[in-house]
Amino acid sequence: MARRTTMRTPGLLLLALVVTACGSGPGGPGSASSPQPDPEREQEYAAVGTVLDAGRGPELCLGGVADSYPPQCGGPAVAGWSWRSVEHESASGVRWGEYAVTGTWDGETLTLTDSPRRARADDYPAPASDGSDFGTPCRVPRGGWAPAPPDGWQDAGFQRALLLAEQVDGVGQVWGDDGARDGFEGGAGDPERLVLNVTVTGDAAAREAAARTLRAAYDGDVCVSRADHSRRDLEAVAQEIRERDDLGVLVSGTGAHVDLEVVHDDGTLQDELDATYGDGVVRVTSALRPVG
């Protein structure tokens, strides 16, 4: 994967855009006017996470939280917080809880502009999809898919093929399709089929060579399709990004591309990474989501 070295200069955080005003207008006194921008009002952001105070003041934990008692985590400072106004847990001098919060962001601190409340399940954003449904993109063979082996996911040939797939040159993703879209977990009972799916970079000849190698180990169905990027290349990109200390990375991982969650991005970081690695190689998600 060729790497582009063009970089873009990070932009400034944009101020919020819209308020609704009432007053005199073309329709006469008291008629509603068109919404007018208010340059004095800062953009507000919403987030959901654990707020924890271990003696340094309240922090919004947007990444991982250690499963201890009391829990341990860290994150941006939260200004305007009062533990007296919210239900919370406490132990060993630590106070914490999971909350939905709204506030302005200056790059280091979230300053509350609304009262926090206990988080609900529907406050958490749905996980972003990488576009993979972990089905089988190959055509159904004449006569249909072969039945799954008696041992299903534990079939020795299937397990050998999985190991071989990880060693294929240019391998991207590897998964099994048992008809239930359960990935490597497998469905309850006997799956209706068990298709070994592998994506690889390269041309049709490279894909056919990989398919022959895998079919020699596994008697069931094999589907080898095209990968835009190899796992090795994506993991190298992810590692390079993780080594930067200026991004506020919360979570990173690879699949069909590099998934990157950061505390805040207004599109500037996404543009920079697109220019550096190519469009779609890295997908940035901001934990702080603009309101309005």
Side-chain angles (χ1 to χ4, degrees):
M1 177 174 58
R3 176 180 171 185
R4 290 185 254 164
T5 57
T6 304
M7 302 291 285
R8 299 187 185 181
T9 304
L12 297 176
L13 182 65
L14 298 180
L15 297 180
L17 302 178
V18 179
V19 295
T20 302
C22 297
S24 299
S31 63
S33 67
S34 299
Q36 298 295 318
D38 181 356
E40 300 301 320
R41 183 176 180 182
E42 291 186 84
Q43 174 68 60
E44 291 180 311
Y45 294 91
V48 186
T50 296
V51 176
L52 181 143
D53 187 347
R56 300 185 300 270
E59 298 178 55
L60 178 59
C61 303
L62 296 169
V65 178
D67 189 16
S68 58
Y69 191 83
Q72 301 174 65
C73 64
V78 182
W81 187 269
S82 171
W83 289 108
R84 291 191 297 272
S85 65
V86 293
E87 295 181 5
H88 61 276
E89 287 72 51
S90 63
S92 302
V94 178
R95 294 179 285 190
W96 73 94
E98 288 189 55
Y99 305 96
V101 295
T102 302
T104 57
W105 174 249
D106 66 2
E108 295 182 353
T109 301
L110 184 75
T111 300
L112 297 182
T113 56
D114 200 356
S115 299
R117 60 172 175 77
R118 282 285 198 171
R120 301 188 300 258
D122 59 0
D123 288 322
Y124 291 89
S129 170
D130 68 357
S132 300
D133 67 357
F134 296 106
T136 297
C138 297
R139 290 183 180 179
V140 178
R142 186 174 300 175
W145 299 111
D151 291 338
W153 295 81
Q154 303 307 314
D155 177 74
F158 182 74
Q159 293 297 320
R160 282 196 302 272
L162 286 178
L163 294 176
L164 286 172
E166 298 293 344
Q167 301 170 31
V168 169
D169 187 41
V171 64
Q173 293 179 285
V174 179
W175 72 92
D177 173 20
D178 64 2
R181 300 295 188 270
D182 284 329
F184 281 109
E185 297 300 321
D190 293 331
E192 61 185 66
R193 63 175 183 265
L194 187 51
V195 184
L196 174 60
N197 278 264
V198 182
T199 65
V200 296
T201 57
D203 56 16
R207 294 193 292 274
E208 183 54 39
R212 286 196 301 270
T213 298
L214 298 172
R215 289 181 182 125
Y218 178 48
D219 292 334
D221 288 310
V222 173
C223 172
V224 179
S225 54
R226 182 177 178 275
D228 291 327
H229 312 288
S230 72
R231 181 184 300 172
R232 178 179 297 178
D233 285 345
L234 292 178
E235 288 177 347
V237 170
Q239 181 59 34
E240 188 170 302
I241 291 172
R242 283 193 290 266
E243 290 174 354
R244 291 179 56 174
D245 58 7
D246 62 327
L247 300 184
V249 175
L250 301 172
V251 180
S252 65
T254 60
H257 49 249
V258 177
D259 279 308
L260 184 68
E261 185 176 12
V262 297
V263 173
H264 172 255
D265 180 40
D266 61 2
T268 301
L269 177 59
Q270 182 69 75
D271 287 346
E272 176 193 331
L273 296 178
D274 285 346
T276 303
Y277 300 109
D279 292 348
V281 176
V282 182
R283 184 178 62 182
V284 179
T285 302
S286 177
L288 296 177
R289 306 182 305 279
V291 175

